[in-house]
């Protein structure tokens, strides 16, 4: 049996390998006007909905200017992986599929987005959108799941030496853990490196008594193995879940993803269970399906 793939980060390995926070789930459906900075426009929509964080879908969005980066090797020992130079396509970029986790960084709303897009020539690319440097070129319909009582908070992570989102409870009305109220609930989740994504999700769902759920999220893998098609051998990558779920009668998550390697090759398909370790981080919203 092949040994699990592991990536060595520069700092000490944290004892806690995941963060989980319970939230009240709020359906989101709002429009960001044309000409808005993406980060600000989505933050305004969440504020209007009274949410602390969210998963949002940007499918079909049109943007100009549009800025993004791809995964890359680290230029030195301070990190195990890094980012490419910034790409700046000319003209309007159209998103094929993209999702974002919305949380907080330095006390301000912040959006972490991975996706696939095409430029005016039809060239297809994938990576990490820079939300402070990208504007809507047309009204953007945003749908997703808002979180009340939990969010994703960016903090320095000693293990990876990155500033990363961590799922955390957000006190409301001075009460810690106040993800209360009518309506559905969800889990905000972040995963640390070197654990299989599917196995970690299954364990979290089992711990919280979740047998059916929709899974939304983005992250990075150290290589990728799919139910069909070629393997991805890049040790750093950027991924978005296109169809994620846990169904009744099985504990293994269904994770249909798109993921880009360091050379820009895009891989797509359903991840096999047990052989897809996190590279740097993985951020999820788990939305249980009502019985």
């Amino acid at each position: 049996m092949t040994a699990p793939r592991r990536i060595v980060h520069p700092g000490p390995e944290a004892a806690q390998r995941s963060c989980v926070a319970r939230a009240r789930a709020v359906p989101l459906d709002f429009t960001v006007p044309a000409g808005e900075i993406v980060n600000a426009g989505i933050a305004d929509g969440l504020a209007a909905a009274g949410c602390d964080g969210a998963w949002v879908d940007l499918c079909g969005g049109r943007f100009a200017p549009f800025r993004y980066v791809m995964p890359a090797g680290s230029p030195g020992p301070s990190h195990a992986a890094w980012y490419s130079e910034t790409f700046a396509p000319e003209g309007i970029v159209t998103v094929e599929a993209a999702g974002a986790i919305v949380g907080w960084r330095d006390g301000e709303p912040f959006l972490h987005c991975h996706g696939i897009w095409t430029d005016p020539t039809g060239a297809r690319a994938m990576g990490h959108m820079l939300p402070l440097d990208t504007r809507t070129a047309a009204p953007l319909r945003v749908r997703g799941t808002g979180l009340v009582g939990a969010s994703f908070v960016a903090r320095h992570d000693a293990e990876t030496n990155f500033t990363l989102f961590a799922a955390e409870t957000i006190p409301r009305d001075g009460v810690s853990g106040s993800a209360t109220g009518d309506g559905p609930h969800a889990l905000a989740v972040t995963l640390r490196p070197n654990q299989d994504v599917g196995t970690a999700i299954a364990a979290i769902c089992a711990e919280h008594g979740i047998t059916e759920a929709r899974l939304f999220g983005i992250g990075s893998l150290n290589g990728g193995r799919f139910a069909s098609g070629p393997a991805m051998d890049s040790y750093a990558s950027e991924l978005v879940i296109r169809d994620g779920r846990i169904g009744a009668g099985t504990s293994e998550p269904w994770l249909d993803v798109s993921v880009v390697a360091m050379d820009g090759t895009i891989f797509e398909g359903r991840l096999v269970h047990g052989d897809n370790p996190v590279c740097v981080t993985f951020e999820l919203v788990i939305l249980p399906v009502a019985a």
Side-chain angles (χ1 to χ4, degrees), residues 198-219:
T199 302
I201 293 171
I204 289 167
C205 287
E207 181 181 350
H208 288 82
I210 297 171
T211 56
E212 292 187 70
R214 296 294 309 279
L215 309 172
F216 307 96
I218 59 176

Side-chain angles (χ1 to χ4, degrees), residues 87-113:
F87 292 90
E90 293 289 339
I92 295 175
V93 168
T94 302
V95 165
E96 173 188 316
I101 293 289
V102 190
W104 297 85
R105 181 167 179 163
D106 298 327
E108 300 289 336
F110 188 73
L111 181 147
H112 183 193
C113 176

